[in-house]
Amino acid sequence: MALSMEKIMGIQQYTLGVRTQRAEMIANNIANADTPGYKSKGLDFQQALKQAQRGSESYKLARTHDKHFNVEIKPTGQEKFRVPTQPDTGDGNTVDVQLEQNLYAQNALEYEMTMNFLDGRISGVKKALSGQ
């Protein structure tokens, strides 16, 4: 019986990448909390996860010369602007720092949970392969 990473890790391998992308987006929102006109962005987790699962689908750029690099772009989740939760302060910035910090903490916990799940799966496979 052949082992495949798809069977061992399941959907968790994709959620890890999406959670990483989400953490970067939230951190970017926090970093731009004082930037005038900056609009807070979010990620549709379900849509991003579906796109990550279809990872074999990618976009290739046409090579018009032999010396051009072969470039392949993987689709990622679509950025969306968040609905502001606070009144406009006059500078057009829609970042709610407390909300972003809470979302970042929640995402970090979910990321850690995914890592623990994957660690358990990999440990189980290692034990099975070593005959323990």
Side-chain angles (χ1 to χ4, degrees):
M1 177 169 79
L3 289 176
S4 75
M5 293 306 281
E6 186 74 29
K7 288 181 182 176
I8 293 170
M9 296 192 179
I11 196 170
Q12 299 302 324
Q13 62 183 325
Y14 303 114
T15 60
L16 200 59
V18 175
R19 291 193 197 291
T20 300
Q21 183 181 4
R22 189 175 187 201
E24 290 172 1
M25 191 173 295
I26 294 169
N28 194 33
N29 287 342
I30 294 170
N32 286 292
D34 293 328
T35 304
Y38 182 82
K39 305 297 181 204
S40 182
K41 298 174 187 165
L43 181 69
D44 183 346
F45 187 83
Q46 294 300 324
Q47 179 188 14
L49 185 58
K50 287 177 186 175
Q51 287 179 342
Q53 283 181 292
R54 293 185 303 229
S56 60
E57 295 178 12
S58 59
Y59 310 103
K60 292 188 177 190
L61 299 179
R63 293 175 64 186
T64 57
H65 192 274
D66 290 339
K67 292 187 179 185
H68 287 170
F69 290 110
N70 188 15
V71 178
E72 198 171 313
I73 302 170
K74 300 275 185 201
T76 58
Q78 183 178 4
E79 279 184 6
K80 295 183 177 182
F81 291 106
R82 281 214 185 101
V83 176
T85 58
Q86 60 188 14
D88 187 5
T89 58
D91 65 357
N93 188 308
T94 63
V95 177
D96 180 352
V97 177
Q98 290 179 340
L99 172 68
E100 298 295 334
Q101 289 173 337
N102 288 337
L103 291 172
Y104 193 86
Q106 178 185 353
N107 191 64
L109 288 173
E110 291 168 348
Y111 184 91
E112 184 176 354
M113 179 183 68
T114 302
M115 287 297 292
N116 288 337
F117 179 82
L118 287 173
D119 184 48
R121 284 308 258 301
I122 292 169
S123 294
V125 170
K126 284 171 65 175
K127 285 180 184 177
L129 291 174
S130 66
Q132 293 180 353

